[in-house]
Amino acid sequence: MWSLAWKNVWRGGGRSLVTAGAVAAVVTLILLMYGFAGGATNGMFQNLTRSTGHLVVRVKGYDRIEEFDQRLLYDLEDLKASVQRTLPDADVEAVLEVPALLAGTSRSRGVVLMGLEPDGHLMQEMVDRYLAEGQRPQPGRWQAALGQALARALRVKIGDEAYAFAPGTDGLGAGAFEVSGLIDLPESNLEARTAVLDLADAQALAAPDAASRIVVFLPDLKTLSQEKRIDEAKAQLTAALPEGYEVLTWREAQPALAAILDLMTPMLLIYAALFFGLAGLLVVNTVYLSLVERIREFGIIIALGADRWKVMRMVTLESLVLVLSGALVGGVLGGALLYRGAQGFSLPGPLAQQYAEFGLPVVMYASVTPTQVVSVFVFAVLTAIASALWPAWLTGRLEPVEAIRHVA
Amino acid sequence: MEPIVRARQLEKVYRSDGIATPALRGVDLEIYPGEFTAIAGPSGSGKSTLLHLLGGLDRPSAGEVWLEGERVDDKNATWHARLRLWKVGFVFQAYNLIPVLTALENAAFVLELRGVPPAERKKRALDALAELEMQDYAARRPNQLSGGQQQRVAVARALAAEPAVILADEPTANLDSKTGRALIEYMKRLNREKGLTFLFSTHDPRLLEHVRRIVHLEDGRVVGEEVREA
């Protein structure tokens, strides 16, 4: 019956070709959409976790604590060692965030001074990656890398001094920092209120031997689909750490951004359903016209002994052949384009800049999961079946005597 | 001997827009195994209607139809489909082959509907085509065959399924007289050599010359019957 369905579909010639072509286009488009979204999502995941880490260890109830000193991790070295023992393959680094007033010669701004470890990922991510001018702050030299917007606001440039005031803390409380570099962060809001220091200098200023949080980077985590490893690591770490600390995943640390990423899957499914719905209308049209042109033939088939269910199955098979032919072509085409996209692609210039503001990487790598590929073909099969329902129902209602006498 | 097909007081009334048109008015008929019977009558006499009712293609308005000792007319559509699939072979007047299938595939089509394995249905279809001297045309599609050849394939399709009875509704109507006579000869030979039961309708008196039993139908009634010596 598949063979008969195949022959019947292609006797429709141009009409079947156009319909199968539309299905192929839809499948290609959806695969590309999945691939692009997958690349973007993975890129955002990597970008996000580059600046937040995969896990964060901090004082329990951190968000609800207002006093700076109560938010600090004082037993820093022990804690870091404990984290490292629990997750030996992970990179572990401390961050000290100090709310402060930073002043140039004539202007001042409320800022967050970020004390980062000189050999850590965060120093690379925050400073090296976005360094527009100058160099990263050197340990022990009381240097700072300022966001460009902040430097403009303070009217300071490389080599100038900026004065930091962090009153009410356990450190020196004030200090003069040489502006060593200017950083061009993708998020302009962050750029206007961030200055990066060496961790030891930040500790000397505000919190000796303490940190605001410990950030954990797990190795070889490139895609969102590997997220399960983060949850497993969190469970291990939570069990290993003493009371008084909490372990957050990147998702818990950045719930709003994580929610945006989570929206991607249902949105893609809605788009895919819409596209397939449109293609389905074409399929219904083609299958219906094919039925109208062959009423007499179906009458013969019924007269020869096919029951209603059998002829309905025939119509459904034709719809499946039509849609799956297009889907296969679309799958091959989409697969080839995805393969190309998986080598790396970027959006056109201005668009890439705009999206970079939202944490999207400039170069992305198309990525689809096996589930997504399967879902495209499941959509195709469902479309074929749904499109065949009405024509098949009509065929099943044909009276053989009338159908045989039918003149198209 | 039990009749293979039996009709009792068969009536059929077509209704359209409140107008009733009687097509059959109390037909009694019995067909016995191995018979070669023609139903003769002018156009509109009810020949096709009678064959449709006997083959389970349509339901009578009144009366009974029996096939191989089982009542047919009171069953549902699915049962009728099974009846047609397993017990009745149909040959229609306008060839009615499936255009995308080859002669062999057409001849094997009923067997495919029955779920006969491919190798067996191919053999049976080829044998049937050979009986109609169509084996050399097995790979051709209907549009590559003449009208007579197409009708021979249609007979082969019925033959391959080995039904209890073959009902042929004006099988020669679209053929020239020579080809029509040849087709009837093929059917007669199959009846003679294989004992197949044929019941066919025609309005062409020239085709009735060598038919042993002829039932005459007029205005939906049997108006006479001839049984000639073999």
Side-chain angles (χ1 to χ4, degrees):
Chain A
M1 285 299 156
W2 282 100
S3 155
L4 178 61
W6 174 263
K7 289 171 181 172
N8 277 327
V9 163
W10 298 114
R11 78 203 263 190
R15 191 169 59 221
S16 295
L17 208 61
V18 167
T19 306
V23 173
V26 163
V27 169
T28 307
L29 198 68
I30 291 173
L31 283 175
L32 283 181
M33 194 171 73
Y34 277 151
F36 171 78
T41 308
N42 289 336
M44 285 169 81
F45 167 70
Q46 286 171 27
N47 264 3
L48 272 173
T49 52
R50 260 202 298 263
S51 56
T52 63
H54 298 111
L55 292 167
V56 174
V57 180
R58 62 188 193 186
V59 170
K60 203 165 196 167
Y62 182 94
D63 286 338
R64 295 186 298 277
I65 300 170
E66 291 185 356
E67 289 75 18
F68 172 73
D69 56 341
Q70 288 180 28
R71 300 169 107 186
L72 297 177
L73 304 167
Y74 287 104
D75 43 357
L76 187 58
E77 289 313 311
D78 287 348
L79 262 180
K80 277 182 73 177
S82 178
V83 172
Q84 194 71 75
R85 268 199 309 278
T86 310
L87 303 169
D89 295 332
D91 290 329
V92 181
E93 52 191 85
V95 177
L96 176 62
E97 284 179 324
V98 182
L101 187 73
L102 194 64
T105 48
S106 58
R107 291 181 171 198
S108 62
R109 288 288 185 273
V111 298
V112 175
L113 301 176
M114 292 191 71
L116 304 178
E117 293 188 13
D119 301 324
H121 289 277
L122 289 174
M123 184 63 89
Q124 287 173 27
E125 174 60 24
M126 292 285 290
V127 181
D128 297 353
R129 187 171 177 207
Y130 297 112
L131 194 65
E133 205 178 327
Q135 59 176 19
R136 58 151 73 178
Q138 300 300 307
R141 293 179 56 184
W142 289 79
Q143 292 182 329
L146 273 56
Q148 280 183 314
L150 177 61
R152 272 197 302 277
L154 296 178
R155 292 191 174 162
V156 295
K157 54 186 188 303
I158 303 260
D160 288 350
E161 292 220 310
Y163 306 96
F165 301 96
T169 60
D170 294 338
L172 299 170
F177 290 87
E178 178 194 351
V179 178
S180 65
L182 300 179
I183 48 180
D184 180 16
L185 294 173
E187 201 183 332
S188 49
N189 186 34
L190 196 66
E191 193 184 292
R193 57 182 173 83
T194 301
V196 179
L197 316 176
D198 176 69
L199 175 64
D201 293 345
Q203 286 174 324
L205 176 73
D209 302 325
S212 317
R213 60 180 190 266
I214 290 172
V215 179
V216 180
F217 294 91
L218 298 173
D220 303 324
L221 269 179
K222 300 242 187 307
T223 67
L224 205 55
S225 59
Q226 297 169 297
E227 209 181 359
K228 202 176 160 200
R229 280 180 50 202
I230 301 177
D231 294 328
E232 289 166 357
K234 177 189 171 176
Q236 282 178 274
L237 210 50
T238 306
L241 292 179
E243 275 294 304
Y245 302 102
E246 61 185 14
V247 182
L248 278 75
T249 62
W250 69 276
R251 186 177 282 278
E252 291 160 332
Q254 300 275 354
L257 290 170
I260 291 175
L261 292 189
D262 288 343
L263 268 179
M264 206 70 102
T265 304
M267 273 174 61
L268 289 177
L269 280 175
I270 290 169
Y271 278 127
L274 279 174
F275 286 141
F276 268 112
L278 291 174
L281 292 176
L282 259 180
V283 179
V284 171
N285 180 56
T286 302
V287 176
Y288 174 72
L289 286 178
S290 158
L291 158 67
V292 168
E293 288 167 357
R294 288 158 52 214
I295 284 179
R296 184 188 168 90
E297 201 175 304
F298 278 112
I300 297 297
I301 290 170
I302 295 169
L304 291 176
D307 60 28
R308 300 191 185 287
W309 293 109
K310 204 163 259 174
V311 290
M312 287 168 79
R313 265 207 309 278
M314 284 180 181
V315 174
T316 309
L317 274 185
E318 288 181 22
S319 179
L320 275 169
V321 165
L322 183 65
V323 172
L324 289 181
S325 303
L328 279 178
V329 172
V332 170
L333 196 63
L337 291 170
L338 276 180
Y339 177 77
R340 170 69 192 84
Q343 318 301 312
F345 67 96
S346 50
L347 296 170
L351 214 55
Q353 280 304 113
Q354 279 179 12
Y355 278 98
E357 295 278 326
F358 296 99
L360 209 68
V362 176
V363 178
M364 288 178 283
Y365 301 90
S367 163
V368 287
T369 62
T371 312
Q372 286 175 321
V373 175
V374 170
S375 80
V376 172
F377 287 93
V378 169
F379 262 123
V381 170
L382 291 178
T383 302
I385 293 171
S387 305
L389 283 178
W390 181 54
W393 183 74
L394 290 176
T395 314
R397 282 166 51 94
L398 287 176
E399 288 298 332
V401 173
E402 288 170 22
I404 290 169
R405 290 179 183 147
H406 181 81
V407 180
Chain B
M1 200 192 323
E2 275 290 306
I4 201 164
V5 177
R6 188 166 60 186
R8 266 192 202 161
Q9 286 301 301
L10 209 53
E11 291 181 19
K12 179 69 181 176
V13 179
Y14 291 107
R15 291 178 196 282
S16 175
D17 298 330
I19 300 168
T21 311
L24 290 181
R25 309 166 194 245
V27 170
D28 288 310
L29 180 69
E30 289 184 345
I31 305 293
Y32 289 88
E35 275 194 330
F36 190 80
T37 308
I39 298 173
S43 288
S45 59
K47 303 185 296 295
S48 296
T49 303
L50 177 59
L51 289 180
H52 291 160
L53 296 182
L54 296 180
L57 267 180
D58 206 353
R59 286 168 185 279
S61 306
E64 295 174 4
V65 178
W66 296 71
L67 200 125
E68 285 192 320
E70 196 168 7
R71 193 164 168 188
V72 169
D73 56 276
D74 58 351
K75 305 292 194 303
N76 64 22
T78 308
W79 196 92
H80 281 160
R82 260 205 310 278
L83 173 87
R84 296 193 297 270
L85 183 62
W86 291 95
K87 293 196 171 171
V88 181
F90 275 106
V91 179
F92 302 97
Q93 93 182 37
Y95 323 143
N96 286 325
L97 300 177
I98 298 170
V100 291
L101 299 182
T102 63
L104 177 65
E105 289 165 338
N106 266 293
F109 187 73
V110 175
L111 300 176
E112 191 176 353
L113 288 178
R114 285 184 188 174
V116 174
E120 188 190 335
R121 67 175 182 247
K122 184 180 178 186
K123 182 185 175 306
R124 285 170 63 177
L126 271 175
D127 287 348
L129 285 174
E131 290 288 348
L132 276 299
E133 295 178 78
M134 284 298 293
Q135 69 273 29
D136 295 339
Y137 302 89
R140 293 201 187 172
R141 293 212 174 159
N143 62 359
Q144 297 166 315
L145 299 172
S146 69
Q149 288 169 333
Q150 287 187 53
Q151 206 59 315
R152 276 150 69 188
V153 174
V155 175
R157 178 172 65 192
L159 175 65
E162 298 173 358
V165 59
I166 293 179
L167 305 176
D169 184 13
E170 304 234 20
T172 60
N174 288 6
L175 305 177
D176 60 63
S177 58
K178 188 181 165 196
T179 314
R181 268 198 304 277
L183 184 77
I184 296 296
E185 283 308 315
Y186 276 115
M187 288 163 53
K188 275 183 74 178
R189 186 168 59 75
L190 290 169
N191 165 255
R192 202 170 49 239
E193 293 176 2
K194 293 186 168 291
L196 268 175
T197 309
F198 275 93
L199 177 60
F200 75 98
S201 64
T202 183
H203 62 268
D204 185 348
R206 289 171 301 175
L207 293 173
L208 300 173
E209 287 166 12
H210 303 292
V211 178
R212 192 172 161 268
R213 184 182 172 201
I214 305 164
V215 177
H216 291 279
L217 208 63
E218 226 173 274
D219 294 331
R221 289 193 182 89
V222 174
V223 293
E225 187 173 332
E226 295 174 58
V227 180
R228 295 170 181 165
E229 288 303 314

